[in-house]
Amino acid sequence: MAGHSKWANIKRHKAKQDAVKGKLYTKLIREVTVAAKLGGADADSNSRLRMALDKAFGANMSRDVIDRAIKRGAGGLEGADVEEIRYEGYGPGGVAVMVDCMTNNRNRTVAEVRHAFTKCGGNLGTDGSVSYLFSHLGQLVFSAGANEERIMELALSENAEDVVVNEDNSIEVTTSPDRFIAIRDAMIAAGFQPEHAEISMIAATNILVTEKDAAEKLMRLTEMLEELDDVQEVYSNADIAEEILAELE
């Protein structure tokens, strides 16, 4: 049941980037708009919209801005001509990288994504080249010291996929996407507030990056991609060694 928490490793850096970029609102609004476009404006019956709203409210976005994004996506306002597209490739050291985008101009987006890969020593691949390495899953992480036995009982009773205790004693609960909200809400109702909770693309196995040069290029690639207006999320199977990550921070 023991594992290494890649989330604890990489998310610290990502959180810093999100805080400084100033583009978070734009990305959140876009996700709310697309979620409403695909599944309707009712968050009770549209789990993707509910997740997007949770993130938007968590970022202190105003209700008016959120409501306009929902109306735009559901067809009440113009300007919802945005499509989702995923790019796949390899970063430095053979690390698998997936990039989820929302765009109204595919040619612009692919050119910008390819430029970032090339500049940082990576290669943009074809559809399916790395996606088979990832699974679409919900992930809840509880900090060290949380009641492992009780969390495990709740997770199993709510049909979670797996429960892992990481090397840092954090507890990681994995769920199918359709069970994520129910399990998250059950945990919160029982008094267990997750330190991190999201539906993401989780790699089955990770590649440990121990060379500073490769790690530096990989983090630069991640930063360049996340700075692009059309990029929503960047996933990889990189596990950067703690001492290397500390130097890069």
Side-chain angles (χ1 to χ4, degrees):
M1 299 295 287
H4 173 70
S5 179
K6 175 177 175 284
W7 171 80
N9 175 296
I10 201 76
K11 287 290 181 178
R12 286 200 299 269
H13 182 88
K14 189 180 187 315
K16 288 184 178 181
Q17 293 305 312
D18 282 344
V20 237
K21 277 191 307 188
K23 295 185 178 180
L24 184 58
Y25 271 26
T26 303
K27 294 177 187 287
L28 290 174
I29 289 170
R30 193 176 293 156
E31 172 61 22
V32 169
T33 302
V34 171
K37 179 181 179 181
L38 295 176
D42 182 9
D44 290 334
S45 59
N46 183 347
S47 59
R48 179 170 175 177
L49 178 58
R50 182 174 170 187
M51 286 293 301
L53 293 179
D54 286 348
K55 289 181 181 179
F57 286 126
N60 296 318
M61 192 175 292
S62 75
R63 182 81 224 191
D64 285 347
V65 171
I66 292 171
D67 285 345
R68 282 198 298 273
I70 294 173
K71 287 179 182 177
R72 185 177 300 114
L77 295 173
E78 295 182 359
D81 186 21
V82 174
E83 63 175 324
E84 294 181 284
I85 186 167
R86 171 173 290 163
Y87 297 103
E88 306 175 35
Y90 291 93
V95 167
V97 181
M98 287 201 310
V99 188
D100 280 351
C101 303
M102 292 184 184
T103 180
N104 59 4
N105 186 327
R106 281 181 173 237
N107 292 335
R108 176 194 66 223
T109 306
V110 70
E112 291 176 343
V113 170
R114 181 180 286 112
H115 173 71
F117 271 91
T118 303
K119 189 166 185 179
C120 298
N123 294 288
L124 191 60
T126 57
D127 290 349
S129 57
V130 303
S131 59
Y132 71 94
L133 297 168
F134 296 81
S135 297
H136 191 215
L137 295 168
Q139 185 182 48
L140 299 101
V141 180
F142 300 89
S143 57
N147 189 324
E148 174 189 339
E149 185 176 344
R150 182 65 181 130
I151 287 175
M152 192 172 296
E153 286 176 1
L154 278 168
L156 294 175
S157 69
E158 293 290 338
N159 298 317
E161 297 284 318
D162 198 10
V163 181
V164 171
V165 179
N166 294 306
E167 292 173 358
D168 61 0
N169 290 320
S170 62
I171 303 166
E172 201 166 306
V173 177
T174 306
T175 82
S176 60
D178 62 331
R179 291 295 302 155
F180 174 77
I181 289 178
I183 292 174
R184 183 198 63 182
D185 291 352
M187 290 290 179
I188 293 173
F192 298 108
Q193 182 69 44
E195 185 179 3
H196 164 75
E198 69 174 355
I199 295 175
S200 185
M201 299 300 294
I202 310 296
T205 56
N206 297 319
I207 292 180
L208 184 62
V209 180
T210 56
E211 297 292 331
K212 184 178 179 181
D213 181 61
E216 199 164 19
K217 286 180 179 176
L218 179 62
M219 298 312 293
R220 178 59 185 151
L221 172 60
T222 303
E223 289 168 9
M224 283 187 69
L225 289 169
E226 289 182 339
E227 284 168 1
L228 297 176
D229 289 340
D230 296 337
V231 170
Q232 291 292 112
E233 294 287 348
V234 179
Y235 310 102
S236 84
N237 65 347
D239 184 3
I240 299 175
E242 289 287 347
E243 60 274 14
I244 301 295
L245 189 63
E247 288 184 44
L248 295 177
E249 290 179 340

